[in-house]
């Protein structure tokens, strides 16, 4: 049985975005379904933009999604370190080999010279590529340039006249002509390797068998294959997953609203729903099934059913899926998940009776799309200090039918054994009948007494949640303040 090692190698330059999260998920699924190893490391060679903060944020988001890994950052392993900036000695060893075998050379061309070459190529309508000017410097010339203290980069010598084929598990065979690729930089003038070089050395030295990543890296792959070949190393399996578009079929950007996983987490999306939704961004299950647990995805997922075409991000679908997950969730679990959101408004939320809290959440779960919806939905429940300053409220409380409504309501509430939705419905309907009043005359003063507002919470749900004691307290308070 072949051993799978799949890696995710984010650059810690920002939060985990939707596209990255989808890549991690596919990497995870592939490793897991093959009893393989999932590895996470960091590509932090962009020193100016990388930070420990973003590395942490990305890993936290992956953990929040419920995905675990067996090797790499946070968990360790035999092939560390797992940050590229800590692996410079390893890159140096491979660089020495490439030098010794004539696969790379020092290039002393200045930025201005390279820019000039580029402009000439553009003017001719050609794609710019490095001319190879420094390829044939003699050892004496090199020594002289070094003696002058000239800065240099290290370039890989791209063999001419070759067709490089990427056997891509998502896109099929993709061919590139080596003549279209100039000798590319593998080590920058500050001595830091470039992505294309470091990634190959990492994948080789960590024993990675599968490289599944976003298709913005497809054009890098022929360069990487050339390095594998120069080092006589076996190629991993490649798969490039299409980009994700917004609903206008344009590349998703910050302007499209929330693009990072932590934004969804903060809004109260469930990781289970996110995973389910992300899986369907590009992967098509065989049947009609739309809801998958992570274990089901592990069983069902296959790279062959990942589409070459861009996936379209549909927020409404995510919202719908999230609401379905909320509806299906065990009530204890759901209550635990909404607590952190409630806690922001009600710091002592943990002191409330757990079964009462569950009753509250159960009452409103049908209306919830995201967990944070619980906050506005329950706003009238937690605070007993209601004021009636609003002019509309005052107007309602001035009506002369208020006394009879409130008195009869109290009487009936006191007599009732257990306040349920149905029972309250019955009581309020009987009030209108017995007092010969229209619904509005009955409901409005009660609504104002119980919430201090003229619209909002449904009374049939609110009254059982408040319970007899608090209902009566609120009603009495209103009568006293009126
Ligand atoms: N660091 C790259 C990125 O964040 C990933 C490169 C790769 O997977 O090879 O897009």
């Amino acid at each position: 049985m072949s051993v799978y090692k799949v890696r995710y190698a984010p650059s810690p330059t920002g939060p985990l975005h939707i596209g990255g999260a989808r890549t991690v998920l596919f990497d995870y699924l592939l490793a897991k379904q093959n009893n393989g190893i999932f590895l996470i490391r960091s590509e932090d060679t962009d020193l100016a933009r990388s930070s420990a903060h973003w590395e942490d944020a990305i890993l936290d988001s992956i953990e929040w999604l419920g995905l675990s890994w067996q090797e790499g950052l946070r968990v360790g392993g035999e092939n560390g370190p797992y940050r590229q900036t800590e692996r410079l000695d390893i890159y140096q060893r491979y660089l020495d080999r490439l030098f010794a075998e004539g696969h790379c050379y020092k290039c002393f061309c200045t930025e201005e010279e390279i820019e000039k070459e580029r402009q000439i190529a553009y003017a001719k309508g050609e794609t710019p590529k490095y001319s190879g000017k420094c390829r044939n410097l003699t050892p004496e010339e090199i020594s002289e340039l070094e003696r002058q203290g000239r800065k240099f980069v290290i370039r890989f010598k791209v063999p001419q006249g070759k067709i490089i084929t990427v056997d891509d598990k998502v896109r099929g065979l993709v061919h590139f002509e080596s003549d279209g690729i100039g000798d590319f930089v593998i080590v920058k003038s500050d001595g830091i390797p470039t992505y294309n070089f470091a990634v190959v050395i990492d994948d080789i030295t960590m024993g990675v068998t599968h490289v599944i990543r976003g298709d913005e890296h497809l054009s890098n792959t022929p360069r990487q294959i050339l390095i594998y070949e120069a080092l006589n190393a076996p190629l991993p399996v490649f798969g490039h997953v299409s980009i994700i578009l917004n609903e206008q079929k344009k590349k998703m950007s910050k302007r499209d609203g929330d693009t990072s996983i932590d934004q969804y987490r903060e809004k109260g999306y469930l990781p289970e729903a996110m995973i389910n939704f992300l899986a369907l961004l590009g992967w098509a299950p065989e049947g009609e099934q739309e809801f998958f647990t992570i274990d089901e995805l592990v069983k069902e997922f296959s790279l062959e059913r990942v589409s070459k075409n861009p996936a379209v991000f549909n927020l409404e679908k995510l919202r719908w899926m999230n609401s379905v997950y909320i509806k299906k969730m065990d009530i204890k679990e759901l209550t635990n998940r909404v607590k952190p959101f409630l806690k922001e408004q009600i710091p002592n939320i943990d002191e409330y009776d757990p079964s009462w809290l569950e009753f509250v959440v159960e009452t409103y779960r049908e209306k919830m799309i995201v967990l944070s919806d619980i906050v506005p939905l329950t706003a009238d429940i937690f605070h007993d200090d209601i004021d009636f300053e609003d002019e509309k409220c005052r107007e309602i409380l001035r009506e002369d039918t208020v006394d009879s409504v409130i008195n009869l309501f109290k009487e009936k509430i006191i007599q009732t054994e257990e306040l349920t939705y149905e029972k309250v419905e019955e009581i309020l309907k009987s009030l209108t009948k017995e007092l010969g009043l229209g619904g509005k005359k009955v409901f409005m003063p009660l609504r104002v007494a119980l919430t201090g507002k003229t619209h909002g919470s449904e009374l049939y749900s609110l009254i059982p949640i408040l319970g007899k004691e608090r209902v009566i307290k609120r009603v009495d308070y209103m009568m006293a303040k009126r």
Side-chain angles (χ1 to χ4, degrees), residues 268-269 319-320 322-323 326 365 367-371 373:
Y269 285 85
R319 286 172 59 76
W320 167 74
N322 204 66
S323 73
I326 286 179
R365 78 151 105 199
K367 292 203 167 81
M368 283 163 65
I369 303 228
V370 291
L371 297 175
D373 287 341

Side-chain angles (χ1 to χ4, degrees), residues 324-336:
V324 174
Y325 271 87
I326 286 179
K327 286 185 182 72
K328 287 195 302 195
M329 187 169 271
D330 169 73
I331 187 61
K332 276 202 169 34
E333 180 64 29
L334 183 60
T335 306
N336 281 336

Side-chain angles (χ1 to χ4, degrees), residues 323-363:
S323 73
V324 174
Y325 271 87
I326 286 179
K327 286 185 182 72
K328 287 195 302 195
M329 187 169 271
D330 169 73
I331 187 61
K332 276 202 169 34
E333 180 64 29
L334 183 60
T335 306
N336 281 336
R337 305 264 192 124
V338 298
K339 262 195 191 170
F341 292 90
L342 285 173
K343 205 168 193 150
E344 282 176 26
Q345 307 293 322
I346 307 126
N348 66 336
I349 194 72
D350 293 318
E351 290 162 23
Y352 284 83
D353 172 33
S355 56
W356 177 77
L357 257 189
E358 281 167 26
F359 174 50
V360 172
V361 177
E362 187 60 70
T363 304

Side-chain angles (χ1 to χ4, degrees), residues 7 9-11 41 43 195 199 211-213 216-217 224:
R7 82 334 185 248
S11 307
R41 61 176 193 238
E43 300 207 324
Y195 157 69
V199 73
V211 172
I212 310 303
R213 59 189 171 197
E216 67 274 24
H217 290 295
Q224 294 171 16

Side-chain angles (χ1 to χ4, degrees), residues 284-471:
E286 265 178 58
E288 297 292 302
Q289 186 177 344
E290 212 164 2
F291 285 90
F292 293 88
T293 63
I294 187 82
D295 291 336
E296 286 170 329
L297 288 172
V298 168
K299 276 203 205 97
E300 300 286 322
F301 179 77
S302 79
L303 277 179
E304 284 70 30
R305 298 193 63 85
V306 171
S307 170
K308 279 192 249 214
N309 303 319
V312 176
F313 182 89
N314 178 342
L315 181 63
E316 268 320 302
K317 180 168 178 183
L318 171 59
R319 286 172 59 76
W320 167 74
M321 276 203 144
N322 204 66
S323 73
V324 174
Y325 271 87
I326 286 179
K327 286 185 182 72
K328 287 195 302 195
M329 187 169 271
D330 169 73
I331 187 61
K332 276 202 169 34
E333 180 64 29
L334 183 60
T335 306
N336 281 336
R337 305 264 192 124
V338 298
K339 262 195 191 170
F341 292 90
L342 285 173
K343 205 168 193 150
E344 282 176 26
Q345 307 293 322
I346 307 126
N348 66 336
I349 194 72
D350 293 318
E351 290 162 23
Y352 284 83
D353 172 33
S355 56
W356 177 77
L357 257 189
E358 281 167 26
F359 174 50
V360 172
V361 177
E362 187 60 70
T363 304
Y364 293 107
R365 78 151 105 199
E366 280 292 322
K367 292 203 167 81
M368 283 163 65
I369 303 228
V370 291
L371 297 175
S372 58
D373 287 341
I374 196 72
V375 176
L377 284 169
T378 58
D380 292 330
I381 297 173
F382 292 95
H383 305 289
D384 286 320
D385 47 345
I386 296 167
D387 72 54
F388 311 98
E389 296 310 312
D390 180 71
E391 190 38 46
K392 279 198 200 121
C393 290
R394 302 207 70 83
E395 205 173 293
I396 286 161
L397 299 181
R398 273 196 294 268
E399 287 174 24
D400 49 14
T401 47
V402 170
D403 286 280
S404 49
V405 169
I406 296 295
N407 288 337
L408 192 54
F409 170 74
K410 264 179 73 177
E411 205 175 291
K412 284 182 184 282
I413 289 286
I414 290 166
Q415 280 164 11
T416 308
E417 281 278 309
E418 197 193 349
L419 287 177
T420 60
Y421 184 99
E422 292 74 21
K423 198 72 211 167
V424 173
E425 191 177 14
E426 200 186 301
I427 293 176
L428 297 193
K429 284 197 174 139
S430 71
L431 278 183
T432 54
K433 253 203 215 125
E434 288 174 36
L435 296 168
L437 294 172
K440 229 176 149 188
K441 293 261 184 220
V442 170
F443 280 80
M444 289 314 263
L446 283 173
R447 179 179 297 290
V448 170
L450 296 172
T451 69
K453 296 181 197 130
T454 50
H455 57 266
S457 291
E458 189 195 27
L459 297 182
Y460 301 156
S461 303
L462 180 68
I463 292 172
I465 285 175
L466 290 174
K468 260 190 215 186
E469 212 181 298
R470 286 174 76 198
V471 165

Side-chain angles (χ1 to χ4, degrees), residues 2 41 62 82 89 98 110 152 209 213-214 309 348 445 462:
S2 68
R41 61 176 193 238
I62 299 173
Y82 292 98
D89 54 330
L98 289 178
T110 61
F152 62 87
T209 60
R213 59 189 171 197
N309 303 319
N348 66 336
L462 180 68

